[in-house]
Amino acid sequence: IRWNGTEWSEQPLPALSPSTVEQLFKVWGRSADEVYIVGMAGLVLRWDGSELVQIPVPSDGDDWISLWGNSEELVLVGGRGGMQVSFHDGNEWRQIEDRFAGGINGVWTGSPGIAYASGERGSVWVIDLDDAELVRTIQLTEVQSARQDILHAIFGQPGGRLVTVGGNLGGVIGQEVGYLFEANMGGMAQ
């Protein structure tokens, strides 16, 4: 659905490939005529101001869970059995080949060339977009790392602080636990 300033209206989807895609997960945009949506089975859609168009992006065919960009780059993250990361560097789509167990659920890009991602097992990754590689993991507190909870989203300020949230939200009813962590781009604190 799309808000036009006055009301919401349903937007038609293009014929999707694969046609079995049933879920869209996140949306991010640079402007009213450049909005991206990610979903199941490697699906990426772009709103061009008048219609949604499916765009091909390097993928392992796994779900894209989240995306974020800046003036130069657009980063897509996801994966269920193992992380997948692709990004557009302003000229072409590139895929990061490192595949670690567990998926990535959130991503944020601050300064051009660097992205931060959060995901399963309490992981927070720093991604070097210039070299197309995962460069390091930011360690969470010892207690949280032992819990292995899922981090669902991440956001920050360029050169400032990072915030990531998550927990065991799919756990036993009545025993759900949520977490918020804050970092100064170098270490995390609960």
Side-chain angles (χ1 to χ4, degrees), residues 119-157:
E120 295 180 16
R121 299 185 181 100
S123 297
V124 177
W125 294 93
V126 179
I127 304 169
D128 181 338
L129 300 175
D130 294 329
D131 292 333
E133 65 180 357
L134 301 169
V135 291
R136 70 179 186 274
T137 302
I138 298 173
Q139 286 298 87
L140 300 179
T141 63
E142 195 172 310
V143 172
Q144 177 61 15
S145 294
R147 292 186 56 87
Q148 303 289 303
D149 289 330
I150 297 171
L151 296 173
H152 295 278
I154 190 165
F155 188 77
Q157 300 171 309

Side-chain angles (χ1 to χ4, degrees), residues 1-11:
I1 61 174
R2 179 174 174 264
W3 178 256
N4 67 8
T6 306
E7 62 186 5
W8 291 100
S9 62
E10 190 171 334
Q11 301 301 303

Side-chain angles (χ1 to χ4, degrees), residues 39-183:
M40 287 178 67
L43 177 72
V44 181
L45 298 172
R46 182 179 188 266
W47 173 260
D48 64 8
S50 61
E51 67 178 337
L52 285 168
V53 177
Q54 186 171 352
I55 59 174
V57 174
S59 166
D60 296 326
D62 211 340
D63 297 347
W64 289 119
I65 304 297
S66 191
L67 70 163
W68 198 267
N70 54 41
S71 62
E72 299 176 24
E73 299 139 340
L74 176 63
V75 182
L76 311 177
V77 299
R80 301 290 185 175
M83 64 175 58
Q84 72 174 3
V85 179
S86 286
F87 66 97
H88 196 275
D89 63 9
N91 297 310
E92 64 181 334
W93 284 101
R94 298 170 67 193
Q95 186 173 17
I96 293 180
E97 299 299 326
D98 295 332
R99 295 283 290 184
F100 295 92
I104 300 178
N105 301 314
V107 64
W108 176 76
T109 59
S111 304
I114 297 290
Y116 299 87
S118 61
E120 295 180 16
R121 299 185 181 100
S123 297
V124 177
W125 294 93
V126 179
I127 304 169
D128 181 338
L129 300 175
D130 294 329
D131 292 333
E133 65 180 357
L134 301 169
V135 291
R136 70 179 186 274
T137 302
I138 298 173
Q139 286 298 87
L140 300 179
T141 63
E142 195 172 310
V143 172
Q144 177 61 15
S145 294
R147 292 186 56 87
Q148 303 289 303
D149 289 330
I150 297 171
L151 296 173
H152 295 278
I154 190 165
F155 188 77
Q157 300 171 309
R161 302 193 70 73
L162 284 173
V163 175
T164 185
V165 297
N168 66 348
L169 305 178
V172 177
I173 295 175
Q175 295 181 13
E176 299 92 348
V177 177
Y179 294 97
L180 177 133
F181 294 93
E182 187 175 14

